[in-house]
Structures are given as C-alpha cells and as structure tokens.
Amino acid sequence: MTEHSKPTKMAIAPRADNGAPPLISIVAPCYNESETVDLFVDAIDKIVAEADFETEIVFVDDGSRDDTRQRLSRLAAGHDNIRVIALSRNFGKEAALTAGVDHAKGDAVIVMDVDLQDPPELILDFVRKWRDGFDVVYAAREDRQSDTAAKRATASWFYRLFNRMSAIKIPENAGDYRLMDRRVVDHIKALPERSRFMKGLFAWVGFQSIGVPYVRPERAAGETKFNFWKLWNFAIDGFTSFSTAPLRVWTYFGGVVALLSIVYALFIVTRTLVMGIDVPGYASLLVFILFFGSIQMISVGILGEYIARLFAEVKRRPIYIVDDVLGGPKSDQAPGN
Ligand code: UDP
Ligand code: MG
C-alpha cells in the first residue's frame, strides 16, 4: 500500500465473476456501543438492500460493560447474517479487529467502526473498486473537521514522524475503514505478532490499493473511547512495531557527543596546563551531569519500551479470548490464535 497512484490498466484485471454473488464480511468492533449498534445495522441494511452481493456482519463485543452484548445478541437472533464474537474482556480495538477479521468468512472483508463515522454508503464504492481488481480499497478522509484542532495536530505529527521513521508508509488520511480481498486477509491473519498495530499491518502486506475520498462525519451517538493517554500508547505501539530508529538514534547521538567531549577535554586540559587549576565551574558541571543523566534515562527508557514488547511477544499469549459466539454455528468458536 505504499503506492497510492492509480495502477495502470495492465496491472489490474477485473475480478472473475463465477455467477454466484460474492460474500462481503463487515467486521465492526464494539466497546460500550449500546447507543449505536441498532443504528449501524439499520444503516447497513439500507445500503445493501439492493446490492448484488451477499453480506455478513461480524460484530466483536470487546468486553463492553453496558448492554451492548444483549443488544447484539438480539440483533443476531433477528438477522441470519449477523454473528457476534464476544470477547472475555476488553482487549482493545486492535485485538477486537483481529478477532473479527479472523472470524470473517467473506470473499472480501470490510472493517469499520460501529459509530457511523465510517459512512456505510462507501461500501458500494469499495465493492465496485474491488470488482475492478483492487485488493485493498480504503476510505481517505478529505478533511478532519469533525476532530478537535488538538487531535488534528497530534495526528498529523504522528503520521509525519511515523512515515519518516518507518520503511512502511501509512497514508495520513486513511483510518482503519477499508475493504480487503480474501488473499490480503489471509496474509494479515498469518502475521504472528501479538502487538497489533493494524494500520501498520494493513500497509505492511501491500497489494494493489486505492483510496476513496470521503468526509468523516461526527459520531452518531455515544462518545469516543480514545482519550489522550490511549492515543499516546497507541502511537508508541506504532513506532516500536515498525521502526528501530528510536533505538538506533542513541548510537549516533552518543557518537556526536563523544566527539564533542574529546574536543572539549583537549581544550580543558590544555587550558589547565597553561593557566593553572580553575576551581569555579560548579554550574556548568551540574548542567552537564543533569543533561547527560536525563539523556541516559530517556535512552534506557526507550530500550525498555522495546524490551517490554519483546517480552509480550515471547510470552505468546493469545491476542484475544473468545467467550461466546452468538448467531453462527457454535463450531465457529475458536480460541484466539
Ligand atoms: N473500540 C473497541 N475497543 C476499544 C475501544 C474502541 O472495539 O477498546 C471500537 C469502538 O466501539 C468503535 C471503534 O472501536 O466501533 C472506534 O472507536 P471510537 O469511535 O471511540 O474512536 P474514534 O472514532 O473517536 O477514534
Ligand atoms: Mg468514532
């Protein structure tokens, strides 16, 4: 997904149509979304009513503490094409997305938020582009007016820094909302890491992709589940999963400081030899000690971020645990891999 320009006609062949309508899975993670799940299903039903493809909705209840699960279970009972993967606790959006993608059966899988900030109308455009031969079709925000100025600024810094540090580029205007062909999904499912920075993983697998522009609306109901602290940790997960630059920068920084120190040492020694012992200098000494002490702590802290993630990876705990599967055959219930 590093290249977003329109591929040439040569590179892209329309998907073969073998007569049977394709199945499109819609994966939607839900955490305390009691107010939005019914609106979501109504909106999707309206959009796909006339469509020439089949759909299934795979809801993931990410350990909601309100009555989201009851509502989802009611929806699953009323619709043959709705399944609910209920996780045993809140595992976070990235793990919930992983669970949904693992359980989706479609020829193509669409991942979207349940709060209608990802407009369902785009599904038709996604499928059209998919039929044209694109493996990944993502929604590209035209503007971020629905976000606060602070969120817009921090998001923009994050993407700029990420794309500078990582060999994998993620488009600044793309969220998670996208359609992926089955073969892309299978590659994503095969990625073994526990730390699921999905935006990065989606980009990492590559394939022919294209953006569809849209304007991101406000949340239909309820409120955002992401506060500043969660977003900060999300950003660190992103950096550490896709770049080793934060680790390596200290080698160069140390090298430069060592060179400067040699020059300064020569200067001090020479001056002492020529002019005698110079006792004052308490202030500069203290500044140096504090400065290098804090720089060392920062670099050790960054080392710690990576070690903590290595630790999480080697433990190989499952990414999520399924408590119950509602709506589909019980045999679908699989432990998180
Ligand atoms: N979500 C989730 N688990 C979490 C947090 C969020 O499954 O721990 C879901 C949430 O229910 C929604 C989607 O992730 O469907 C996006 O969340 P939200 O709308 O709060 O994020 P924002 O749009 O504000 O970035
Ligand atoms: Mg939202």
Side-chain angles (χ1 to χ4, degrees), residues 33 113-118 216 219 223-226:
E33 295 285 2
D113 293 353
V114 82
D115 60 5
L116 297 176
Q117 285 198 288
D118 294 338
R216 190 165 174 84
R219 222 176 203 284
E223 49 195 48
T224 178
K225 309 296 178 296
F226 289 92

Side-chain angles (χ1 to χ4, degrees), residues 249-271:
V249 69
W250 302 105
T251 315
Y252 300 96
F253 183 80
V256 170
V257 171
L259 280 178
L260 293 175
S261 311
I262 290 172
V263 175
Y264 189 57
L266 285 175
F267 167 71
I268 295 271
V269 170
T270 317
R271 200 181 60 170

Side-chain angles (χ1 to χ4, degrees), residues 28-33 36-37 40 60-64 68 87 90-97 112-118 141 144 147 151 176 216-217 219 221-227 230-231:
C30 313
Y31 177 52
N32 296 346
E33 295 285 2
T36 54
V37 287
F40 179 80
V60 181
D61 175 30
D62 187 14
S64 298
T68 300
L87 304 187
N90 179 245
F91 282 86
K93 183 183 176 190
E94 308 301 297
L97 271 180
M112 64 195 291
D113 293 353
V114 82
D115 60 5
L116 297 176
Q117 285 198 288
D118 294 338
R141 287 181 203 191
R144 282 178 163 262
D147 287 342
K151 187 160 177 192
D176 288 328
R216 190 165 174 84
R219 222 176 203 284
E223 49 195 48
T224 178
K225 309 296 178 296
F226 289 92
N227 54 27
K230 266 198 183 178
L231 286 172

Side-chain angles (χ1 to χ4, degrees), residues 40-267:
F40 179 80
V41 171
D42 286 347
I44 298 284
D45 276 352
K46 221 171 279 161
I47 294 299
V48 302
E50 306 282 306
D52 54 351
F53 51 81
E54 305 275 338
T55 49
E56 64 159 359
I57 303 182
V58 181
F59 282 115
V60 181
D61 175 30
D62 187 14
S64 298
R65 276 188 284 258
D66 60 6
D67 66 342
T68 300
R69 186 141 152 194
Q70 287 74 8
R71 278 178 191 260
L72 289 177
S73 135
R74 230 173 293 146
L75 284 166
H79 293 68
D80 305 334
N81 68 335
I82 293 184
R83 263 183 308 144
V84 181
I85 315 299
L87 304 187
S88 60
R89 63 171 169 83
N90 179 245
F91 282 86
K93 183 183 176 190
E94 308 301 297
L97 271 180
T98 305
V101 168
D102 284 350
H103 286 82
K105 296 175 176 163
D107 302 300
V109 175
I110 295 177
V111 294
M112 64 195 291
D113 293 353
V114 82
D115 60 5
L116 297 176
Q117 285 198 288
D118 294 338
E121 311 82 82
L122 291 190
I123 291 174
L124 301 178
D125 297 326
F126 282 4
V127 173
R128 210 170 300 128
K129 289 272 192 289
W130 173 66
R131 283 185 158 140
D132 285 348
F134 289 95
D135 296 301
V136 177
V137 191
Y138 62 89
R141 287 181 203 191
E142 290 216 299
D143 70 289
R144 282 178 163 262
Q145 289 313 318
S146 61
D147 287 342
T148 62
K151 187 160 177 192
R152 279 207 297 276
T154 44
S156 156
W157 293 335
F158 169 75
Y159 286 108
R160 260 187 283 163
L161 197 60
F162 184 97
N163 286 335
R164 195 162 293 176
M165 289 191 338
S166 159
I168 299 297
K169 310 292 174 218
I170 47 182
E172 183 171 335
N173 55 0
D176 288 328
Y177 188 23
R178 68 190 56 224
L179 174 148
M180 293 172 286
D181 184 62
R182 171 49 57 187
R183 61 197 187 120
V184 180
V185 170
D186 286 342
H187 284 291
I188 287 175
K189 284 169 69 172
L191 294 175
E193 56 238 85
R194 316 284 105 180
S195 147
R196 310 295 287 187
F197 181 70
M198 295 305 272
K199 256 194 259 277
L201 299 183
F202 291 152
W204 188 86
V205 295
F207 292 100
Q208 290 280 8
S209 38
I210 190 167
V212 173
Y214 79 112
V215 177
R216 190 165 174 84
E218 304 274 350
R219 222 176 203 284
E223 49 195 48
T224 178
K225 309 296 178 296
F226 289 92
N227 54 27
F228 176 79
W229 188 240
K230 266 198 183 178
L231 286 172
W232 170 256
N233 283 319
F234 181 63
I236 296 181
D237 268 341
F239 289 136
T240 51
S241 295
F242 284 89
S243 173
T244 51
L247 283 174
R248 292 164 49 222
V249 69
W250 302 105
T251 315
Y252 300 96
F253 183 80
V256 170
V257 171
L259 280 178
L260 293 175
S261 311
I262 290 172
V263 175
Y264 189 57
L266 285 175
F267 167 71

